[in-house]
Amino acid sequence: MIKAVIVKRDGRTVNLRCEGHAYYDDPGRDIVCAAVSVLVINTINSIEKFCHYKVKMNSKEESGLIDCSFPKPLPKGGELLIDSLCLGLSQIMNNYGDSYFKFKILEES
């Protein structure tokens, strides 16, 4: 199962963590894994390219880990990209069920 968590503090994104594999289908045919990966990686790449923000990231392909921290506030466009990611991830969870993918947003104070 893939687990994705976005942590927000005082309304701003401070961390994005995604880990695991969906096992919806065989490797190379797993549309849930592919969809989550594309959304997460594209969001990170978009934040770096269009917002000129260097994302602090750790990844491990074998475990499916992508862990990003945002120590400085994201520009407004960066938060919009994160909101778009949240929409896409929520739709994947709703369409394929939480036995393959779980997503949540944690608001810390």
Side-chain angles (χ1 to χ4, degrees), residues 12-39:
R12 79 173 187 87
T13 304
V14 295
N15 188 266
L16 160 62
R17 183 180 177 92
C18 187
E19 185 171 23
H21 296 285
Y23 301 110
Y24 180 80
D25 203 341
D26 294 329
R29 299 177 53 96
D30 192 330
I31 60 175
V32 176
C33 226
V36 171
S37 296
V38 166
L39 284 174

Side-chain angles (χ1 to χ4, degrees), residues 3-8 13 15-19 66-68 89 101-106:
K3 294 179 182 178
V5 178
I6 291 179
V7 178
K8 292 188 175 252
T13 304
N15 188 266
L16 160 62
R17 183 180 177 92
C18 187
E19 185 171 23
I66 298 174
D67 188 15
C68 300
L89 294 178
F101 176 61
K102 288 188 180 180
F103 168 64
K104 63 184 173 181
I105 301 168
L106 294 177

Side-chain angles (χ1 to χ4, degrees), residues 39-80:
L39 284 174
V40 170
I41 292 167
N42 187 66
T43 299
I44 294 164
N45 290 341
S46 294
I47 288 170
E48 289 190 331
K49 179 171 176 97
F50 300 123
C51 298
H52 309 287
Y53 184 103
K54 181 65 180 150
V55 175
K56 189 175 179 182
M57 184 175 75
N58 179 28
S59 64
K60 294 180 184 169
E61 189 173 336
E62 61 280 352
S63 67
L65 172 69
I66 298 174
D67 188 15
C68 300
S69 62
F70 306 98
K72 297 182 295 182
L74 287 169
K76 185 176 182 179
E79 289 293 347
L80 180 61

